[in-house]
Amino acid sequence: MQCNWLGERVATVDVDRAISNVINNKEDAGWGPNAVFRFPTRGGTGAIWKGVAKLLPQDKQKYNQKVVSLDKESKIATFADGRQIQYGALVLTSPLDQTLRWLGKADLASRLQYSSSHIIGVGIRGSCPHGSKCWLYFPEDNCPFYRCTVFSNYAKSNCPEEDQMLPTLCRGDGSAAEPTFSSETGPYWSLMFEVSESKYKPVNPSTVDLGRAGSWPAVVLDTLKGAVATKLLAADAEVVSLYHRREEYGYPTPSLDRDDALAEALPWLQSFGIWSRGRFGSYKYEVANQDHSLMLGVECVDNILFGSKELTLNQPDVVNAKKNTELLYRSASMSSFR
């Protein structure tokens, strides 16, 4: 993996400060550019983009429309229902390696690497023992996850109401809960874990039985055991909710050959009127957060319409080092594009 992506993306570690915090058991929230951020009180981060969608013309939005073929020379997209759309410029957010293979550039696609992600959610009865912590990283080898988020600290609505009665599904270490356990009230708190998967780090594909919780992928049990090993969760904690989701495309890897591959792939697609942008559309991890992805789209459209420079795509260090104050949404400006 190359190091150019680091830039302003990763907080610089103050070793003396970190050691002092550990010795004095001090929580320190002032690390990095995203040490403070906003989070919706309801609906998770999805609520942000549903809100953005409401600002745009509803008749211009269509979802769950599957494209089955793309004719780059004729600039025609064909959908699963047989419809065809002629385009002048196409903004494409599908994974770049898939697009390249689709259009006959498998050799170029093979130069791009990515990892998959397993998201595991655990809801627990009781009061959160982790103070104001938000997310924590784990380089240790005694757990499968690299990051854990104390998701209940983000918004009260991320957990059920305290008076809601829920049964205990299993214990914190994955062992079966006593059959005498009946539904009880809260309070509740929650953890969200992220486990990476790639050819370098395989994940056990088998399933395991977690008693009253039913059958789950083995990575869920491994995560529970890892949470106990790292003292995030007590072995006898009452787990009332479990969640697992696997995303094939989790993280675009800033591999050694990535920049050279992108320098060839993106202009080639653009020569056919295809602007490949987004977390995996442009494959740049350093500008692949949700806010980055939004601006990649905004600047891409500005480039198509006016020839404007795409700062987020081409100058990650610049956009990561400052807060945006130049490009602001103005509702009145939308009328000219309707």
Side-chain angles (χ1 to χ4, degrees):
M1 190 164 69
Q2 46 106 322
C3 62
N4 292 336
W5 65 276
L6 290 169
E8 299 293 332
R9 185 73 171 76
V10 178
T12 303
V13 177
D14 184 330
V15 177
D16 291 340
R17 176 175 158 192
I19 293 174
S20 175
N21 290 341
V22 171
I23 293 174
N24 296 296
N25 194 28
K26 177 185 176 183
E27 292 188 4
D28 190 347
W31 295 90
N34 56 355
V36 178
F37 58 92
R38 295 181 178 184
F39 193 89
T41 55
R42 292 187 179 278
T45 51
I48 299 172
W49 307 115
K50 290 176 180 178
V52 170
K54 290 179 180 178
L55 299 174
L56 304 173
Q58 298 301 299
D59 62 340
K60 301 297 184 183
Q61 302 180 49
K62 294 186 182 299
Y63 301 97
N64 301 313
Q65 310 289 306
K66 185 178 180 180
V67 176
V68 294
S69 69
L70 201 61
D71 185 331
K72 65 182 187 299
E73 283 83 11
S74 300
K75 296 185 176 181
I76 294 176
T78 302
F79 290 81
D81 60 5
R83 289 182 302 117
Q84 291 187 325
I85 293 180
Q86 178 97 45
Y87 60 85
L90 177 65
V91 180
L92 199 60
T93 62
S94 57
L96 178 58
D97 58 311
Q98 287 189 5
T99 302
L100 292 170
R101 288 190 175 90
W102 203 3
L103 299 179
K105 288 283 189 176
D107 56 333
L108 192 51
S110 66
R111 294 162 61 184
L112 299 171
Q113 299 182 39
Y114 69 92
S115 62
S116 302
S117 293
H118 292 260
I119 312 301
I120 297 99
V122 181
I124 311 104
R125 192 190 323 277
S127 298
C128 176
H130 300 303
S132 60
K133 293 181 177 67
C134 283
W135 68 84
L136 308 95
Y137 288 88
F138 295 85
E140 297 91 338
D141 59 3
N142 61 349
C143 62
F145 46 85
Y146 62 88
R147 181 165 61 191
C148 175
T149 299
V150 187
F151 203 59
S152 49
N153 278 349
Y154 281 24
K156 185 178 180 180
S157 64
N158 286 344
C159 286
E161 295 293 336
E162 290 189 14
D163 60 357
Q164 184 169 339
M165 299 185 70
L166 297 173
T168 299
L169 301 180
C170 66
R171 291 295 192 174
D173 60 2
S175 60
E178 289 80 350
T180 55
F181 269 176
S182 59
S183 295
E184 298 178 12
T185 58
Y188 303 101
W189 62 287
S190 62
L191 296 169
M192 183 178 72
F193 301 89
E194 296 168 76
V195 178
S196 64
E197 177 187 352
S198 70
K199 62 182 180 181
Y200 304 107
K201 184 180 177 294
V203 169
N204 186 350
S206 64
T207 58
V208 296
D209 183 70
L210 293 178
R212 190 182 296 178
S215 297
W216 289 86
V219 67
V220 174
L221 177 58
D222 292 341
T223 296
L224 288 172
K225 291 180 176 179
V228 173
T230 54
K231 304 186 186 306
L232 285 169
L233 201 57
D236 62 351
E238 297 181 38
V239 175
V240 299
S241 175
L242 288 171
Y243 173 89
H244 171 264
R245 179 187 180 113
R246 181 185 182 275
E247 291 290 344
E248 173 65 22
Y249 282 86
Y251 284 80
T253 304
S255 55
L256 293 174
D257 196 29
R258 183 203 68 174
D259 288 349
D260 288 342
L262 293 179
E264 184 177 344
L266 296 181
W268 180 77
L269 287 172
Q270 208 161 313
S271 70
F272 292 100
I274 301 172
W275 277 254
S276 185
R277 301 291 186 268
R279 181 176 178 89
F280 275 98
S282 41
Y283 243 88
K284 287 191 174 183
Y285 170 64
E286 57 269 41
V287 281
N289 282 359
Q290 295 180 54
D291 50 349
H292 292 128
S293 297
L294 172 67
M295 293 312 299
L296 284 169
V298 170
E299 293 173 3
C300 171
V301 172
D302 283 348
N303 176 259
I304 293 170
L305 294 176
F306 313 117
S308 307
K309 301 295 183 182
E310 296 182 79
L311 192 63
T312 303
L313 176 68
N314 297 312
Q315 300 292 333
D317 284 352
V318 173
V319 298
N320 284 334
K322 68 186 186 72
K323 183 178 181 179
N324 170 55
T325 57
E326 295 90 5
L327 296 174
L328 302 176
Y329 172 78
R330 293 283 186 269
S331 58
S333 65
M334 294 301 299
S335 59
S336 59
F337 296 104
R338 289 177 179 173

